Amino acid sequence: MYKTIACAVLFSLFAPVCAAHHHSDAVEPDVPPGSLLAGQWAPVSAQQGGQDLPVSAFGGASLNLTERTYDFAGDRGSYTVVYAGMPARMDIHGEQGPNAGRTIPALYLLSGDDLTISYQLGPGVRPKDFASPPGSKVLVIHYHRAR
């Protein structure tokens, strides 16, 4: 009988902790991650292969996101948030333009009106962080929400 009580007490102590941990990685069902990303985003800085890129390289283009689609300087497609924890991950699916037919694994970090996306433009796995190592095809762009 004491074993049953001890097991019940232990379960009641640890079940909420496990449930809380599981919930922290979950996306609230009434707030899809894409809705938080929706809007117009102006690039403010960028790096690729360990080198800074001038924002002028984007020709004044801004990133337009809906809950599921993107448009950036004639490159159009959809994206899927595959993990909304830290760091958040998305897969970008090019449909028109230079990335048509490609799936680009990426990380993103949304902080208020600032959005940073780390894109893997070359062969290889999703970037692990928001750095663009020398010689890599990782493109990191810092955006600010346009008003």
Side-chain angles (χ1 to χ4, degrees):
M1 177 165 167
Y2 291 114
K3 282 185 180 178
T4 304
I5 293 171
C7 287
V9 168
L10 284 173
F11 180 76
S12 68
L13 290 174
F14 288 108
V17 171
C18 293
H21 174 71
H22 175 68
H23 180 72
S24 69
D25 293 339
V27 175
E28 293 296 326
D30 58 341
V31 181
S35 67
L36 300 174
L37 297 172
Q40 185 175 0
W41 300 90
V44 293
S45 67
Q47 301 82 36
Q48 184 173 20
Q51 301 290 319
D52 288 337
L53 292 177
V55 175
S56 62
F58 302 119
S62 60
L63 175 63
N64 295 300
L65 297 175
T66 68
E67 288 186 24
R68 293 185 178 90
T69 65
Y70 77 92
D71 180 357
F72 185 80
D75 187 24
R76 294 182 183 93
S78 61
Y79 68 93
T80 306
V81 173
V82 294
Y83 179 71
M86 290 296 283
R89 299 185 291 257
M90 67 170 62
D91 287 336
I92 300 165
H93 312 284
E95 296 167 10
Q96 296 177 3
N99 290 306
R102 293 184 64 197
T103 296
I104 300 169
L107 296 180
Y108 74 91
L109 176 63
L110 177 63
S111 178
D113 286 338
D114 295 312
L115 173 65
T116 302
I117 302 179
S118 182
Y119 306 88
Q120 175 56 270
L121 298 181
V125 297
R126 185 180 317 277
K128 293 179 178 29
D129 55 28
F130 297 95
S132 181
S136 75
K137 295 286 187 178
V138 174
L139 172 64
V140 178
I141 303 179
H142 304 277
Y143 300 93
H144 187 75
R145 190 181 298 270
R147 295 282 172 185

